Amino acid sequence: MGIPAQQGLEDRGTGQVPDSSPPEPPSDYSLILPDGWYRIPLDPEQCTRSVDALVERQFKGIDNQPHAKRQVRNDLLDQADQAIGNGGIEMYLSLQAAGPITIPASLLVTLTPEVREADKSLEEVARELAHSGPPGIETTIETLPTGEAVRTRSRTEAARDDATGEVLYSTSLDYYVPVPATGSFLVLSFSTPLDMIADALVKLFDAVARTLTWRGPTNA
């Protein structure tokens, strides 16, 4: 990830001789995704190749839909460009199937800038997210193997069916995980437009978030 270190953190004291080296941030992280999820690295040099490979895979054996194929490719590249501009590191798309239907879901991993003051508690961060989020947003503090994180869940109107006028909803689940020895968050942003099984997918999203581990040097 290349996460910058934050200098001058307070030594809280343990009765032992303190380590004279400053806390170091992790250099990377790892996540475990279910089988059937496709990773798109949000690096300009790799992103286009990854999107092209996905489109070719999904349209394999279908030669009579060049417009649909081109539209899917353009939509994915637009999503990736927007995510890169917002600090996105990687994106995962669900290709899991239930019978003939692909279960639509996604995960975007983002590294925020140094936005968190050293003395700001996660409770304060949670209150700010609740205040700025959509109506009905649920905000809690959860404990992951990496430590405490802010979890938010929301359900918002995504679109409206032109034929029936039915409102279509999207469910989002976000984890704001403090990066050790920095003022940044690693944000795991899960989403699904499949309202009828949103609760089941949220359980899956929570399970994925609990697989997060830091890699690389850190003595925070």
Side-chain angles (χ1 to χ4, degrees), residues 13 16 18 22 34 47-48 98 104 109 128 165 170 175 203:
Q16 301 176 350
C47 181
T48 300
V109 183
E128 291 175 358
S170 176
Y175 275 89
K203 291 181 180 178

Side-chain angles (χ1 to χ4, degrees), residues 13-34:
T14 61
Q16 301 176 350
V17 176
D19 187 345
S20 60
S21 61
E24 297 182 32
S27 58
D28 207 347
Y29 65 89
S30 64
L31 284 167
I32 300 175
L33 275 292

Side-chain angles (χ1 to χ4, degrees), residues 74-135:
N74 290 341
D75 287 346
L76 287 173
L77 289 175
D78 286 345
Q79 291 178 42
D81 285 343
Q82 182 177 2
I84 291 171
N86 291 328
I89 299 172
E90 57 185 351
M91 181 167 61
Y92 292 86
L93 300 177
S94 168
L95 303 179
Q96 287 183 298
I101 301 174
T102 299
I103 300 174
S106 64
L107 164 61
L108 173 63
V109 183
T110 303
L111 179 66
T112 71
E114 297 265 347
V115 295
R116 180 169 54 91
E117 295 87 352
D119 60 348
K120 178 178 286 189
S121 69
L122 289 187
E123 286 76 12
E124 291 177 280
V125 174
R127 285 195 293 271
E128 291 175 358
L129 291 170
H131 178 73
S132 61

